[in-house]
Amino acid sequence: MIRRRGPRPRTSTYPHQREKTCGKRHAMTATEGARPDTQDTTRLIAYVLPDAGPVEMPVEIVPAPAHREWMAATTEGFARRCLPMIMANQAEWWLLNTRRFAACWGGGRSSRSLTITYDPDEDGATLAASHFGHGILTFVIPVLFRTPPGWNLGVRGPANRPKDAIAPLSGLVETDWVSATFTMNWQFTRPHTEVIFDRGEPMCAVTPQRRGELAAWEPQVTAMGDVEKAPYEAFRDGRSRWAEEKLVPGTPASTQLFARHYMHGESEDGMRFDFHERKLRLKRFAGRPETEPPSGPAAETYR
């Protein structure tokens, strides 16, 4: 993801939290920005740009579904039984392409080496362009995202949805203060190959991420103690027995495509975990583009 560059801010103050103190503006510290306590909220706003034209949503934003066509097409749909992938599939919002087009990269470094041809029989905004050269296909995102103080927005391609000859690039944007839009970019991996983006196909995925949270983790490598060793060995031995029994007709394992302990949120020794999740239900974006912006105390978080 490549951002438009502009003048560097003189302080790290959030635009909506600049206060005059003793005749000077108060600059929020990095710690305050990473761990806000008083105004923390979970509202993710997509502002329609004032120059977007008619008052209609310029791009559809939806919670990502669990379904992936390639997973459903695997033998007996076994990939749909991989709960970690199913959960990752749903852990993002998708921005959908507005109009079908074909793109092809000629292999050159110039932006002119990439051609984009839109379907003349379809209406819709033309968001794809070639700005940067080197086989990079760019989607202009026609909304301004705003996150609460201390929250970034991860920008990437849709999870577990590979596309031939082209790969999504990822970025992390400080959407709690920046007033610039960003772009979503895809890099061609093979020249002279036509790539199709259909109308309604996800071209970008977004996920909020608290600033400083990853850096606060303290990774370690250590030997396994008894507390962890016992359940691991139960898992290892149980999985080995299951694999052996699966080859014997008439055994319970022979009728199962996979062991179901993780799917059911239980260990090999029968311990169940109450907070186990099998589905995510991300909320849809509420409101309409033509409605008034938020007002009252909560609105100050986004100004």
Side-chain angles (χ1 to χ4, degrees), residues 91-111:
E92 57 194 20
W93 282 272
W94 280 357
L95 282 72
L96 307 182
N97 184 37
T98 53
R99 185 175 172 184
R100 176 185 168 90
F101 68 88
C104 187
W105 175 46
R109 297 188 173 207
S110 170
S111 61

Side-chain angles (χ1 to χ4, degrees), residues 70-286:
W70 73 267
M71 294 175 67
T74 55
T75 303
E76 299 187 40
F78 72 84
R80 294 183 299 179
R81 296 175 174 86
C82 180
L83 184 58
M85 281 204 298
I86 292 295
M87 295 298 288
N89 288 352
Q90 303 169 80
E92 57 194 20
W93 282 272
W94 280 357
L95 282 72
L96 307 182
N97 184 37
T98 53
R99 185 175 172 184
R100 176 185 168 90
F101 68 88
C104 187
W105 175 46
R109 297 188 173 207
S110 170
S111 61
R112 295 187 297 273
S113 185
L114 195 157
T115 59
I116 300 170
T117 306
Y118 276 93
D119 189 333
D121 297 325
E122 285 192 1
D123 296 326
T126 54
L127 303 181
S130 176
H131 288 314
F132 306 109
H134 299 272
I136 297 176
L137 174 68
T138 296
F139 286 91
V140 178
I141 304 303
V143 294
L144 175 67
F145 282 102
R146 181 67 72 223
T147 46
W151 286 84
N152 298 329
L153 193 67
V155 183
R156 64 194 186 203
N160 297 322
R161 201 177 188 278
K163 198 169 181 67
D164 185 43
I166 198 168
L169 305 180
S170 300
L172 190 63
V173 187
E174 294 181 356
T175 45
D176 55 346
W177 66 266
V178 70
S179 295
T181 57
F182 55 78
T183 60
M184 173 65 201
N185 297 279
W186 294 67
Q187 175 113 50
F188 271 86
T189 58
R190 189 167 64 248
H192 311 296
T193 303
E194 187 178 73
V195 170
I196 303 292
F197 276 86
D198 286 315
R199 186 189 190 108
E201 178 178 345
M203 48 83 172
C204 178
V206 295
T207 54
Q209 178 179 314
R210 191 188 289 271
R211 184 154 59 252
E213 194 163 60
L214 287 177
W217 287 85
E218 298 182 4
Q220 296 180 4
V221 177
T222 184
M224 188 178 290
D226 293 339
V227 173
E228 295 293 342
K229 183 183 293 185
Y232 164 73
E233 290 178 343
F235 155 77
R236 180 195 62 197
D237 298 341
R239 186 58 54 90
S240 296
R241 287 193 301 271
W242 180 84
E244 293 173 357
E245 293 175 2
K246 187 171 175 60
L247 302 177
V248 181
T251 61
S254 66
T255 62
Q256 296 178 344
L257 287 176
F258 67 105
R260 302 174 183 270
H261 293 92
Y262 185 78
M263 178 68 76
H264 295 311
E266 61 184 20
S267 62
E268 294 280 345
D269 57 6
M271 181 179 295
R272 298 188 65 87
F273 300 89
D274 295 335
F275 299 103
H276 176 64
E277 290 183 318
R278 297 179 59 175
K279 182 178 291 187
L280 286 177
R281 294 180 174 86
L282 271 61
K283 296 180 175 65
R284 299 186 67 88
F285 275 72

